Amino acid sequence: MKEKKLIILLGPTGVGKTELSLQMAEELGTEIISCDSRQMYREMKIGTAAPTEEELKRVPHHFIGHLSIHDYYSCGRFEIDALAKCNELFQSHDTVIMTGGSMLYIDAVCKGIDDIPNIDEELRQSLLERYQNEGIENIRQELKILDPDYYKIVDLQNHKRIIHALEVCIQSGKPYSSFRSESVKKRPFTIEKIGLNRPREVLYDRINKRVDIMMENGLLEEAKSLYPFKGLNALNTVGYKELFNYFDGIWTLDFAIQMIKQNSRRYAKKQLTWFNRDSEITWRLL
């Protein structure tokens, strides 16, 4: 029996993963598993640059728009769901393509995730009180000391993620990031990772233009419809949180758009920093 292979197309936001994954899937006669943690939410199509209806018709996709912003989901859950989908697709395909830029979700499929310990409620409450009384900078610095690897990629404005990582560090006595890489689980298929990149000025220009296109396609209206739910973790996402500041009267619209572009470029840089540590990735300059 022919060996089964999962090809993972990864890279920074805006690099062009969607189009290349479609071309490869059509050539191989296979299907696509998305590993974009935000394209999974059906209410966030424009701001996450989710595949269009036309693109979804070209090639069957999985894990696009299958969740609501009100649903709880995690990279641990994705590991289970994605492996089950791979097993299903390998019944009729020798090769399956997975594409996206969510670093933790990719690691979950490639390496597996250890069980994260249950957090003592007293510890959780004490960290929340520290954040409320001292602000975000102190808990950021503690995370930087306890888990410098995760500190490099976490959204430093997202206090919920910082607190959760600290909870795990303190409860377990180990870095939060170690629960993603302590032991690599063996998979019943081979994995080939292809990293996509472009010259920095080209990538940043593509990101800036993509934000302009999102605005033309109705991102402002999409964000406005989601504004009542802005406290949900799913919406602590570049493209939405900046526009929420505009709705709150904190920023002008022009400034909010510029911040979407800037924060998207920063996220792309974080993605590349994370991926560049992985020696298993074969890079392809577009």
Side-chain angles (χ1 to χ4, degrees):
M1 189 171 74
K2 190 172 181 181
E3 189 173 33
K4 306 297 183 179
K5 179 190 285 188
L6 178 67
I7 297 176
I8 302 178
L9 278 182
L10 55 85
T13 185
V15 77
K17 297 184 292 293
T18 298
E19 182 54 37
L20 187 57
S21 67
L22 286 165
Q23 293 174 13
M24 288 182 64
E26 287 173 332
E27 290 171 6
L28 294 168
T30 191
E31 302 184 18
I32 295 173
I33 293 175
S34 170
C35 57
D36 186 307
S37 66
R38 289 306 187 249
Q39 290 182 358
M40 296 179 179
Y41 297 106
R42 67 180 70 97
E43 301 94 336
M44 299 166 61
K45 292 180 181 176
I46 299 172
T48 62
T52 64
E53 290 301 320
E54 183 181 83
E55 289 168 334
L56 294 173
K57 287 176 182 174
R58 283 175 58 184
V59 174
H61 284 67
H62 305 278
F63 306 112
I64 295 286
H66 71 298
L67 299 173
S68 165
I69 55 172
H70 302 283
D71 295 332
Y72 172 77
Y73 204 69
S74 66
C75 49
R77 182 71 241 177
F78 181 71
E79 176 187 2
I80 295 169
D81 292 346
L83 290 177
K85 182 57 66 175
C86 283
N87 183 58
E88 176 190 321
L89 294 176
F90 282 138
Q91 302 302 312
S92 52
H93 303 284
D94 290 327
T95 304
V96 172
I97 292 174
M98 187 168 89
T99 189
S102 295
M103 297 87 81
L104 303 185
Y105 282 54
I106 293 169
D107 276 359
V109 171
C110 296
K111 302 177 181 179
I113 296 177
D114 291 341
D115 293 330
I116 290 177
N118 292 325
I119 305 301
D120 182 75
E121 190 56 39
E122 194 173 317
L123 170 61
R124 175 166 291 157
Q125 191 59 36
S126 70
L127 286 171
L128 183 58
E129 288 175 4
R130 276 186 56 196
Y131 163 69
Q132 292 169 340
N133 295 330
E134 303 170 15
I136 198 169
E137 185 56 31
N138 283 344
I139 60 171
R140 273 189 199 143
Q141 291 307 312
E142 184 167 356
L143 179 62
K144 187 175 184 179
I145 292 168
L146 295 179
D147 193 347
D149 286 340
Y150 188 65
Y151 178 86
K152 289 176 184 175
I153 65 158
V154 69
D155 177 356
L156 293 174
Q157 303 303 320
N158 189 331
H159 72 274
K160 292 179 181 177
R161 290 186 183 174
I162 293 172
I163 288 173
H164 178 61
L166 272 180
E167 289 171 351
V168 174
C169 291
I170 296 169
Q171 185 81 40
S172 68
K174 299 189 292 185
Y176 175 66
S177 56
S178 71
F179 288 90
R180 301 190 304 273
S181 58
E182 191 166 284
S183 59
V184 177
K185 299 176 184 175
K186 184 160 178 61
R187 303 305 189 196
F189 49 83
T190 60
I191 297 173
E192 179 183 352
K193 299 178 191 174
I194 301 173
L196 306 180
N197 201 0
R198 295 179 187 266
R200 177 169 292 189
E201 64 277 9
V202 175
L203 177 63
Y204 285 3
D205 184 59
R206 283 175 60 89
I207 289 171
N208 292 340
K209 288 178 178 175
R210 187 166 78 160
V211 173
D212 290 333
I213 292 170
M214 287 177 177
M215 292 302 297
E216 291 170 9
N217 289 343
L219 176 58
L220 186 65
E221 291 73 22
E222 183 177 74
K224 190 174 293 183
S225 71
L226 297 172
Y227 178 68
F229 314 107
K230 67 176 184 174
L232 295 175
N233 189 55
L235 290 169
N236 193 3
T237 299
V238 175
Y240 298 95
K241 58 186 181 180
E242 296 85 358
L243 290 176
F244 295 158
N245 278 344
Y246 163 62
F247 299 144
D248 285 334
I250 299 171
W251 292 345
T252 65
L253 180 57
D254 284 346
F255 186 74
I257 294 169
Q258 290 308 310
M259 289 305 296
I260 295 173
K261 293 176 180 178
Q262 179 176 304
N263 289 334
S264 297
R265 296 192 300 267
R266 283 178 175 168
Y267 181 59
K269 188 176 180 181
K270 279 186 179 181
Q271 289 173 301
L272 286 168
T273 298
W274 179 270
F275 291 138
N276 281 333
R277 302 181 316 159
D278 189 341
S279 60
E280 295 178 352
I281 297 174
T282 300
W283 286 96
R284 177 172 169 183
L285 192 64
L286 298 177

